[in-house]
């Protein structure tokens, strides 16, 4: 099923110069970028994004980490992109992420695991609405620019 997911390059991924590397993996897989924005979030926004984890002992640290610098928020589209995107990302703890995955190749610590991806259709919908409330401005199907007369 063609669907959309929310993917975010976390502050450590941006600071370490991994934006192009991470985007490249989704592009080369064949998924389509629908929306993208570099932004810094405040505390209440970060807490809303991670509201399901609010009772966890690591919640405050997680929120501080996400607020600590710019992130790259994106919407990617394609067949089974929610689940397949999670496979590209790898396990939550980079110590257990398989080599070849983004976290497996690029991260060491669970608290600095460079990327977020929605984990279900429900969370994808909620996260896309949270991060891209202007949703209708997302680009249409990509047209081959070489076919447009100039
Ligand atoms: P994921 O990001 O793989 O969907 P999650 O939704 O369970 O994982 O948790 C969100 C983030 O919270 C995760 O990317 C890193 C952090 N986190 C999860 N479990 C943690 C733990 N036990 N200690 C520290 N940080 C943790
Ligand atoms: Mg999650």
């Amino acid at each position: 099923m063609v669907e959309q997911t929310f993917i975010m390059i976390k502050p450590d991924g941006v600071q370490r110069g991994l934006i192009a590397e991470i985007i490249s993996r989704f592009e080369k897989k064949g998924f389509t970028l629908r929306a993208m924005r570099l932004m810094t979030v405040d505390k209440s926004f970060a807490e809303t994004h991670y509201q399901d984890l609010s009772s966890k002992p690591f919640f405050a640290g997680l929120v501080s980490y996400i607020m600590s610098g710019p992130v790259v928020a994106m919407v990617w589209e394609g067949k089974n992109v929610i689940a397949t995107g999670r496979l590209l990302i790898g396990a939550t703890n980079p110590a257990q992420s398989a080599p070849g995955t983004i976290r497996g190749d690029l991260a060491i610590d669970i608290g600095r695991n460079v990327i977020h991806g929605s984990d279900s259709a429900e969370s994808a919908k909620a996260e896309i609405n949270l991060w891209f409330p202007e949703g209708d401005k997302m680009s249409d199907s990509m047209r081959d620019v070489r076919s447009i007369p100039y």
Side-chain angles (χ1 to χ4, degrees), residues 29-84:
K29 181 69 175 171
F31 293 132
T32 302
L33 183 61
R34 285 298 193 186
M36 178 165 70
R37 185 187 299 119
L38 184 71
M39 58 191 287
T40 305
V41 302
D42 64 16
K43 190 161 183 256
S44 74
F45 191 100
E47 286 175 347
T48 301
H49 173 74
Y50 279 125
Q51 59 193 351
D52 293 350
L53 299 172
S54 61
S55 63
K56 303 283 185 186
F58 56 83
F59 183 68
L62 177 62
V63 166
S64 314
Y65 160 49
I66 293 305
M67 293 168 58
S68 67
V71 300
V72 177
M74 298 175 281
V75 176
W76 284 89
E77 183 177 286
K79 185 177 176 185
N80 295 327
V81 68
I82 300 171
T84 304

Side-chain angles (χ1 to χ4, degrees), residues 79-101:
K79 185 177 176 185
N80 295 327
V81 68
I82 300 171
T84 304
R86 297 274 299 185
L87 289 178
L88 293 180
I89 288 170
T92 302
N93 187 345
Q96 268 110 48
S97 315
T101 66

